[in-house]
Every structure is written in structure tokens, then in C-alpha cells.
Amino acid sequence: MANDAHQSARIWLTFRESSLATKTMLGGVFVNQLGGFLTVFLVLYMVAKGYSIEQATVGLGVYGAGAVIGLLIGAMLADRLGARTATVISMGGLGVLTTGLLYLPNYFLLLGALLLNGLVGRIYRPASATLLSDLTPEDRQVMIFAIYRFALNLGVTAAPLIGYGLYSLGRHEFTLLFWADGLTSVAYAVLAVVALPGRSPRPADEQKVQVKPGRFLIPRDARYGLYLVGAALSVAVYVQYQSTLPLDVHAARVAVFWYTLAVAINGAIVIAFELLVTKISQKWPVRLTIAGSLALIAAGVAVYRLPLGPAVLIIGTLIWSLGEILGGPATFAYAAMAGPAEQKSRYIGSFQFTFGLGTVLGPVAGGLLFSHLGHGVWPVIAIAELVALVFMVTGVRSPRPARSPEAGAALEPTGPAEA
């Protein structure tokens, strides 16, 4: 590598010197998210088909449950299938299932298809993330996952706009939109056949913390277990901006425009600044990065407790957005570096599973708290984030010494992300 092992990984250099397989996965996640119209338009599609809002909401929940189960299954199969096979099965199946949603005659068949859609669409992620880590030198782990998040967030941001364009082009019918979603998934599967290796190349001497495999998914690693508990709690706090915050905005009779603007600002900040912040934060001690990230998120959430208005919405969102860009890439990178090389997919998969669990349970818990506490819910949510901070900081191990100058200095892995 052209870089000195002790230099921080630069953004363009990290991407340019990455392998074809790495570039394929980064491009694939962008294309996949770019075509990910389903979650954005699912409720509208079901209502247009004549189903009630309650039935559409159940459908969205079934899809989310399938996604969590898919991460669990994908984590268990990651080593057996490998990234290429997992991606081909996952994306090929997703393409068929997504277009098939258009032609199902009744509600229960649609629910079954949504469950499978969420499940199959997530199977590839643990294996893909494992391969991405295996193909990247240790001194560039955090940066490569920052680039991964950039591609993912860029696709997520553009998807609703492209989806609406296809919806309009199809004269307010969903056929063109769902077919485009399915075809992008199939395109990713074809790309995987051509460019991804069958198995992850792992150095034989790369041994980390010796732990027992554990049953099912979670490794028998008490320290990492604390990290997972903290990560799940932190994610549950993070998703409150999608659930509890709009409820509070409605209750306070604040114009929806200001909530929409705050969410848009968050997306813009993440896309514009996360890679730049990562160039600096990747050099920090792991516990400092995690503590700083989660403390900022807690502070931003706590600001919402002030009399809710446009200024409070924008300021609170700005603060926790800084926490997100500080710790986002590093948390996922740590999951890839925390355990023995032969169990990397298990560590990554267990993290993605707990992340998904947090996104499912967080809105439910937040809604229940809001129903009892109203606007006073925000200090409780902020305290929950500080509890998550304690768990995650306690669960992170000290950095390992570097393996060798040729392999790159061992970067101290760091702190919140997107699975």
C-alpha cells in the first residue's frame, strides 16, 4: 500500500486501492438501496389496493419482522454460503418476490410474501459485510465502512425521489415502480456472480480474542455481549426521530414542515460530512469515539424536552446528527474486528441482528412511553442513551498490537452505525 501504516486512511485512496470485489459491494449496496422503493411506497400501495390503514400497517410490520429474521438466518449461513452465493440467493429471490407482490390475489398471501421479502432481502448482508472487512487492511476498516454507509445513505436518500418519478411515469400506478425495484435486485445478483469471490480470504494467523462459538448466533463473549446490549438500546433511541418525535410534533401543533426539514437536514449532514469526520475520528481511542458519539445523541434528544418549536427541532436534530456522523462507521467496524477471524461473520451477524431488533422494538417502546409521559418522554430517552453508552464503552476491548507493517497497523476500532 502507498500509505504509511500509521497514517489515517484517506477517502479516495481507500476506495481507489480497494479490490474489485470491494468496489462491487459498495456499488451494489448503492444500487440496491437506490431501487429500495418498497418500504417507502408499501403502505400507499396496499391502501390503493383497497386494504385499510390498519392492514397496511400490519403489512409493514410483517415486512420489518421478516427483515430481522433474515439477518439472523444470514448470520448463521454466512460462513457456509459465502458472500457471492448469499448475495445471488438473496438478491435474486428479492427480485422475484418484489415483482410478485403486484399479482397476489388476497391479503394473507400478500402478508406471506412481505415476510419472505424482508427475510430474503437481508440474508446477504452478514456475509457481504464479512467479506468487505476481510478484503480491507485493518488500518482502513473504519473508513471502508464509512464509504459503505455513504453509498447506503445516498441510495436511501435518492430512492424516494426516483420512486416517485417512476410512480408518476406509470400514471400513478405501482407496476413500473415495483418492476424497477425487482430488476435492480436481480442486477445486483448478476454483478455478484461476476465480481465476488466464492469465499472470504482470511489470514491464517489472524487470531483475536479466544471465545467459544456459542449457540445459534451470539458468541459466548461476555464483553461483546455488553456491547450488543448497548448497541440495541442506542439504536432504539436513535429511531425515536421516526416515531416518537413526529407524535410529539403533532401533539405540540408544530407545522409538519419543520419536522420534515429537520429530517432532511439530518440526511444532508450525514451524506455531506460523515466521510470527512471519519478521517479524523478514526485516529481516536475507541472508547472516546463511542462516548463522544452517544453523549451527543443523548444531548440532542434531551434538547427536545424544551418547549417544542422550530428552533428546538432544528437544534436538537443538529446535535444528535453530529453524534451519528462521529460514531456511525466505527460501530460497524468494531463489530468486524472484535472477535476471532474464524468467527467474524458471527460477530457481524449478531450485531446486525441486535441492530435490527432495536429498530423494531424502539418505536414500540417510544410510543408506549409517550402515551404515558407525553412531552416529558425525552429525558427518559436521553438517559437510556447514556445507559447504552456505559454498556458499549464497557464492552469494547483495548486495541490489539499491529500484526505486521505489511498488513497495516491495527486500527483501534470504534463506535453507532446502519446495518
Side-chain angles (χ1 to χ4, degrees), residues 1 3 9 16 29 33 111 128 142 145 160 164 169 191 274 298 300 358 377 382 396 417:
M1 291 291 177
N3 270 12
R16 181 167 57 84
V29 73
Q33 292 298 325
L111 286 183
S128 180
V142 175
F145 282 110
Y164 182 76
L169 190 63
L191 195 62
E274 186 169 90
V377 72
V396 172

Side-chain angles (χ1 to χ4, degrees), residues 254-255 258-259 261-262 307-316:
V254 178
W258 294 108
Y259 169 72
L261 179 62
L308 200 61
V312 169
L313 269 175
I314 300 301
I315 293 171

Side-chain angles (χ1 to χ4, degrees), residues 66-341:
V68 174
I69 296 171
L71 289 171
L72 182 65
I73 294 175
M76 291 189 294
L77 296 179
D79 285 329
R80 297 180 183 179
L81 296 179
R84 182 172 63 194
T85 302
T87 301
V88 171
I89 292 174
S90 181
M91 292 297 100
L94 182 63
V96 173
L97 287 165
T98 300
T99 53
L101 293 174
L102 293 166
Y103 309 105
L104 296 174
N106 62 63
Y107 181 65
F108 293 103
L109 283 177
L110 183 59
L111 286 183
L114 287 173
L115 180 69
L116 289 175
N117 194 292
L119 189 156
V120 172
R122 296 298 187 275
I123 286 177
Y124 83 99
R125 287 198 176 186
S128 180
T130 300
L131 179 61
L132 186 67
S133 176
D134 286 340
L135 294 174
T136 304
E138 289 192 40
D139 60 319
R140 295 183 175 181
Q141 291 281 316
V142 175
M143 181 56 72
I144 203 66
F145 282 110
I147 297 173
Y148 174 90
R149 276 174 53 89
F150 176 78
L152 187 147
N153 288 323
L154 199 62
V156 167
T157 301
L161 302 177
I162 295 176
Y164 182 76
L166 291 171
Y167 176 70
S168 300
L169 190 63
R171 300 179 180 181
H172 293 183
E173 296 289 339
F174 292 88
T175 303
L176 183 60
L177 190 149
F178 276 27
W179 269 97
D181 194 335
L183 288 175
T184 56
S185 298
V186 173
Y188 190 7
V190 172
L191 195 62
V193 172
V194 175
L196 296 186
R199 293 288 174 181
S200 299
R202 298 180 184 175
D205 62 341
E206 186 175 313
Q207 298 295 325
K208 301 177 185 177
V209 182
Q210 298 299 318
V211 296
K212 297 179 180 180
R215 294 182 179 179
F216 205 38
L217 172 67
I218 308 298
R220 292 183 182 177
D221 183 344
R223 288 285 292 276
Y224 190 64
L226 293 175
Y227 183 81
L228 292 179
V229 171
L233 184 56
S234 180
V235 172
V237 169
Y238 173 79
V239 297
Q240 298 307 313
Y241 86 92
Q242 298 175 333
S243 55
T244 303
L245 184 58
L247 290 175
D248 202 12
V249 167
H250 176 73
R253 297 184 179 180
V254 178
V256 175
F257 166 79
W258 294 108
Y259 169 72
T260 306
L261 179 62
V263 174
I265 287 173
N266 166 255
I269 288 175
V270 172
I271 291 173
F273 297 109
E274 186 169 90
L275 285 172
L276 298 176
V277 171
T278 302
K279 289 180 66 176
I280 301 171
S281 64
Q282 65 181 341
K283 297 180 289 185
W284 295 0
V286 58
R287 291 182 177 87
L288 177 61
T289 304
I290 292 178
S293 173
L294 272 63
L296 282 170
I297 294 174
V301 167
V303 167
Y304 290 149
R305 179 61 181 90
L306 298 172
L308 200 61
V312 169
L313 269 175
I314 300 301
I315 293 171
T317 302
L318 282 173
I319 294 173
W320 66 254
S321 295
L322 292 177
E324 180 183 0
I325 64 176
L326 174 63
T331 296
F332 205 106
Y334 181 74
M337 301 169 70

